[in-house]
Each structure stands twice: as C-alpha cells, then as structure tokens.
Amino acid sequence: VDAMLRAGINIIPEDNTLHSFVNAAHDHLKDYFSKVYMTLRCSPEQVYYNHMQRRTGVPQRKMSELTMVIGLTMVSMNLDMRSALENSNWVAVDHLVERLMEKLSEERMRELFGSRRGGAMTQFDLDKIREDVMKCMRDLQRKNFIRVDNETNCYMPTAAIYRFIDPLRGVATENEI
C-alpha cells in the first residue's frame, strides 16, 4: 500500500482488500505519511490517494496537460453518458478521440498533440492523436483512474476519475490531482 500510494496510484473501492485495509488503518497511515511530508486524502467517491507536501525535496512527476485534458474529457463523457452506460461502463477509445476533436479547437488540438502544420487532418495526424491518447490512457490506467481492455479497445472509468473535477468542486487544487 505504501509503495502504491507513493507512486501516485489511487486506491479505489473496487479494490476491496486494499481499500478495506486503508480504510481500517486510515489514522495510522495518515500519521505515517505526514512524517514523510505526504498527506493521505480521501475523495468524495471514497478514493484514497497521497498528496506530496511542498516542503519536501522529493521530485514529483506531474501529469501532462494532455493527460489532464483527457481526464477531464472522460469525466465529461461519463457524466453525459451515465444513463446510456447503465448496462456497460466501457467506452470505445475512438469515441474519446472523437469527443476531443469535437470539443477542442483546431489550434488547441495542434498545441496538445504537437502538430505544427495547419490544414485538413490526414490519416497520419489521426494516427498520431490516437497514439498520444493511448499513451496518456496507459498512464491513467497505471494510476487506477481507468481500466483498459486492449482486446476491444475500450476503457472504463473508475471512481478515481472524478478527482479531475475536484478543483471545480473545491475539494482540491489542480496540482493536487
């Protein structure tokens, strides 16, 4: 549990054994992590995660802007599609890419995905976007924000995905995600 939380992995309710352990040992873990300049937090969705305090000299790896945008887009899609997803919470990666292209301006897409040329999107551009989205999704999967099914090319958000809107809810700041 210590290594997972220090690595930025979310402990979600679906991980019954780990979640139960952290829940039962919450006060002890909170004291322990405070001694190493970390704060054990619990989101409104009962997701446990660690936040590094600023006074520590330990370098932190922050999420890229693209990963943050993808996370926010996933939350938006999940909220919009809740009723449609009652039978299955799996979402096609292509649907996510379409949503990004629909909601972001062409200029913003070029900024996020590193395309330097203007004009119509080619198949090469679409493949690069898809590749970059998949790279960010692997990072989100490592941290337990989503689950990915590589066979069907779909993902399923976990309760941790709502941490992306914590700054909007006033629960956390952007750099605490």
Side-chain angles (χ1 to χ4, degrees):
V1 169
D2 178 33
M4 290 176 72
L5 288 168
R6 284 180 190 240
I9 297 171
N10 296 291
I11 307 294
I12 56 176
E14 291 88 358
D15 296 335
N16 292 329
T17 306
L18 285 174
H19 193 270
S20 296
F21 173 78
V22 173
N23 196 32
H26 182 268
D27 293 337
H28 297 293
L29 288 170
K30 195 168 185 168
D31 289 342
Y32 166 74
F33 284 120
S34 72
K35 290 176 182 160
V36 292
Y37 303 108
M38 299 180 100
T39 305
L40 180 62
R41 297 215 171 139
C42 185
S43 76
E45 289 78 26
Q46 296 300 304
V47 174
Y48 289 103
Y49 62 98
N50 251 340
H51 175 68
M52 183 94 50
Q53 297 170 3
R54 292 175 194 238
R55 58 185 159 186
T56 179
V58 178
Q60 297 176 248
R61 184 173 165 255
K62 294 188 177 202
M63 282 188 196
S64 70
E65 185 178 7
L66 178 58
T67 303
M68 295 289 286
V69 168
I70 288 172
L72 284 167
T73 304
M74 288 176 170
V75 172
S76 169
M77 289 174 66
N78 202 44
L79 293 172
D80 289 349
M81 299 169 48
R82 239 186 213 164
S83 59
L85 294 175
E86 285 179 7
N87 296 335
S88 171
N89 291 333
W90 293 95
V91 179
V93 173
D94 289 336
H95 192 68
L96 173 64
V97 172
E98 288 170 13
R99 179 70 166 251
L100 287 166
M101 292 174 64
E102 172 188 315
K103 295 295 182 184
L104 298 174
S105 69
E106 196 173 311
E107 181 182 331
R108 187 70 173 124
M109 289 289 286
R110 277 196 297 273
E111 286 174 17
L112 288 170
F113 292 98
S115 177
R116 287 177 173 58
R117 55 194 178 103
M121 285 226 189
T122 64
Q123 187 59 46
F124 176 79
D125 295 327
L126 293 173
D127 290 344
K128 182 178 181 330
I129 288 170
R130 194 172 202 319
E131 181 182 313
D132 289 350
V133 167
M134 291 302 293
K135 182 178 175 185
C136 291
M137 287 178 64
R138 284 189 292 277
D139 190 35
L140 291 171
Q141 182 181 23
R142 266 191 301 280
K143 294 180 176 153
N144 240 352
F145 284 103
I146 61 173
R147 301 211 190 284
V148 177
D149 182 351
N150 292 320
E151 288 182 20
T152 61
N153 222 13
C154 293
Y155 72 92
M156 178 174 50
T158 68
I161 201 73
Y162 292 104
R163 284 190 50 213
F164 282 98
I165 60 170
D166 281 354
L168 301 174
R169 297 190 282 190
V171 177
T173 62
E174 182 180 312
N175 59 350
E176 293 177 22
I177 297 174

